[in-house]
Amino acid sequence: MDEREAGVGSRLRRLREARGISLSALARSAGIGKATLSGLELGSRNPTLETLYAVAGALGVPLTALVLEPGAPPGEAADVRGAAVTATLLEVFEEQGVTFELLRVRVRPGVLQQSPPHAPGVTEHVTVYEGVLRAGPADAPLLAAPGEHISWRADVPHVYCTVGPDEVVATLLIRSPRGTLEE
């Protein structure tokens, strides 16, 4: 694990403690094991994209609150890999009451990634450049071919997978309203 990944644990612990949430309570809320969460905080486990989104959702913060120090340039964030998706943070935009995270995503063929719900009010917006993508709410995913855009409320379980044998290359814009819990 490199230094950028190790910083996730300290940021996670800081956010959890600032909210007065126990390790057990956060693990329950995020739907992950207490040992997994403890390992993330200690830097002894590599975080997956699914786990980071589950924890970020439970804390009510955008993903960047876990993978990037406040004020640091996006290039300092480590790529995060899930079952099917590898995400690279390109930029973070802040507006009054809203955070936008722009990521480049690559979706590997032959694997379905199930993503946990984000915090209430979060939306995802995907533009596909290569391949054909099936993504969106788990109960009603959408299709997008090169040059097409899809979006959905991401505060419900959602999925990512390719249609066909080709990798998907796309940009993902995540819009997260800032709540009262966020620092």
Side-chain angles (χ1 to χ4, degrees), residues 27-183:
R28 268 192 313 277
S29 179
I32 62 174
K34 183 178 174 182
T36 297
L37 187 58
S38 176
L40 290 177
E41 284 195 1
L42 294 172
S44 63
R45 290 197 178 218
N46 290 326
T48 65
L49 190 57
E50 296 91 337
T51 300
L52 288 176
Y53 275 132
V55 171
L59 289 170
V61 299
L63 178 68
T64 53
L66 297 176
V67 300
L68 193 63
E69 283 296 326
E76 290 187 11
D79 288 356
V80 183
R81 186 177 173 126
V85 176
T86 299
T88 303
L89 182 64
L90 300 175
E91 190 61 73
V92 179
F93 307 94
E94 302 280 343
E95 290 185 4
Q96 185 175 355
V98 181
T99 298
F100 296 92
E101 299 162 295
L102 180 64
L103 303 115
R104 179 180 50 247
V105 294
R106 295 185 172 276
V107 184
R108 292 175 292 289
V111 182
L112 174 71
Q113 179 161 320
Q114 298 185 11
S115 295
H118 296 294
V122 173
T123 56
E124 292 192 11
H125 309 265
V126 177
T127 301
V128 174
Y129 297 97
E130 297 176 21
V132 179
L133 178 68
R134 177 174 281 126
D139 61 354
L142 308 163
L143 282 175
E148 295 180 338
H149 170 267
I150 55 176
S151 60
W152 64 91
R153 288 189 61 100
D155 53 5
V156 298
H158 48 288
V159 297
Y160 281 85
C161 66
T162 64
V163 175
D166 298 325
E167 176 183 68
V168 168
V169 177
T171 54
L172 167 62
L173 181 68
I174 301 173
R175 181 189 179 279
S176 302
R178 284 198 293 277
T180 56
L181 293 178
E182 191 174 335
E183 292 183 332

